[in-house]
Amino acid sequence: AQKVTQAQTEISVVEKEDVTLDCVYETRDTTYYLFWYKQPPSGELVFLIRRNSFDEQNEISGRYSWNFQKSTSSFNFTITASQVVDSAVYFCALSSIRSILTGGGNKLTFGTGTQLKVEL
Amino acid sequence: ETGVTQTPRHLVMGMTNKKSLKCEQHLGHNAMYWYKQSAKKPLELMFVYSLEERVENNSVPSRFSPECPNSSHLFLHLHTLQPEDSALYLCASSPGLAGGQTGELFFGEGSRLTVL
């Protein structure tokens, strides 16, 4: 069974502050994908990043950065110099690569999400 | 524009009504999904279709009936729903094996369903 835990239900910051969203996962698979999605008020989930379980290299993309620690089963997401437009619900998700390769589709397991509010 | 379009965006129905949610993807993908998003709960996978065949039915009550007539369209037929079925229903697609699976799903904006 797979499980994704986002312990922070809501975070409020002032614009230009840095903010880190935590994600801890559980899986018995040895190969898997981890994702972060953003859900603005419009509703659709917007894909932000995917990491493979065998690639622990951390990544920075503009104001976004990700810290993947396989030893602690964590995949945290940091927004630097937050902006009001970053206000949204952020979801961490996990899927099994084996399921994809065996034709079972890409069945993502999501966390409960973290509501980020960035205020002026 | 996400490439995955869902209609209607909002739906209010009584418990005895029959209605359908529609999803269309313009991305050339081979797999499509229905997810249910309820308040304070993780997104729940409902159904997965790969190459128009259902590959997952995640213990969903029979009052929800999916249909995938081709790889671009996915429906969710609703009948005799309960108030607890009120939620945001999200459709997603992915390239699938034939298209080179990269893992991520592409989501529509969802259909907000209210059951009275």
Side-chain angles (χ1 to χ4, degrees), chain A residues 4 33 35 37 39 41-47 50 52 89 91 95 100-112, chain B residues 2 9 31 33 35 37 40-43 45 48 50 55-56 88 90 94 96-97 101-110:
Chain A
V4 176
Y33 286 122
F35 304 84
Y37 279 85
Q39 187 178 38
S42 57
E44 91 274 16
L45 274 79
V46 178
F47 166 75
R50 177 194 72 251
N52 303 325
V89 181
F91 291 93
S95 71
I100 298 168
L101 295 178
T102 55
N106 187 12
K107 291 172 273 194
L108 267 65
T109 298
F110 285 86
T112 49
Chain B
T2 66
R9 294 292 311 280
Y33 309 74
Y35 276 85
Q37 185 178 22
K40 309 296 184 185
K41 295 175 69 175
L43 275 79
L45 178 65
V48 180
S50 180
V55 298
E56 179 83 11
L88 181 68
L90 290 160
S94 66
L97 291 177
Q101 181 60 275
T102 54
E104 62 265 31
L105 301 184
F106 296 79
F107 284 85
E109 292 182 316

Side-chain angles (χ1 to χ4, degrees), chain B residues 50-68:
Chain B
S50 180
L51 297 173
E52 300 153 43
E53 285 193 25
R54 192 190 310 180
V55 298
E56 179 83 11
N57 178 347
N58 207 19
S59 303
V60 180
S62 59
R63 58 186 183 269
F64 295 92
S65 175
E67 178 189 1
C68 188

Side-chain angles (χ1 to χ4, degrees), chain A residues 10-106:
Chain A
E10 186 172 323
I11 300 176
S12 290
V13 299
V14 176
E15 202 175 37
K16 299 184 182 178
E17 284 185 11
D18 298 346
V19 57
T20 296
L21 309 182
D22 298 333
C23 174
V24 175
Y25 63 92
E26 297 174 29
T27 181
R28 293 183 179 176
D29 290 316
T30 56
T31 54
Y32 48 89
Y33 286 122
L34 292 163
F35 304 84
W36 276 97
Y37 279 85
K38 173 183 179 180
Q39 187 178 38
S42 57
E44 91 274 16
L45 274 79
V46 178
F47 166 75
L48 295 178
I49 191 172
R50 177 194 72 251
R51 303 304 290 173
N52 303 325
S53 55
F54 42 87
D55 178 7
E56 288 193 66
Q57 184 174 3
N58 293 316
E59 181 173 333
I60 297 174
S61 176
R63 295 187 299 109
Y64 297 165
S65 63
W66 291 269
N67 186 353
F68 177 30
Q69 297 284 341
K70 202 169 182 178
S71 60
T72 56
S73 298
S74 65
F75 184 45
N76 298 336
F77 170 42
T78 298
I79 302 175
T80 302
S82 60
Q83 300 175 1
V84 173
V85 294
D86 295 327
S87 298
V89 181
Y90 290 83
F91 291 93
C92 181
L94 167 71
S95 71
S96 165
I97 294 178
R98 178 164 49 93
S99 174
I100 298 168
L101 295 178
T102 55
N106 187 12

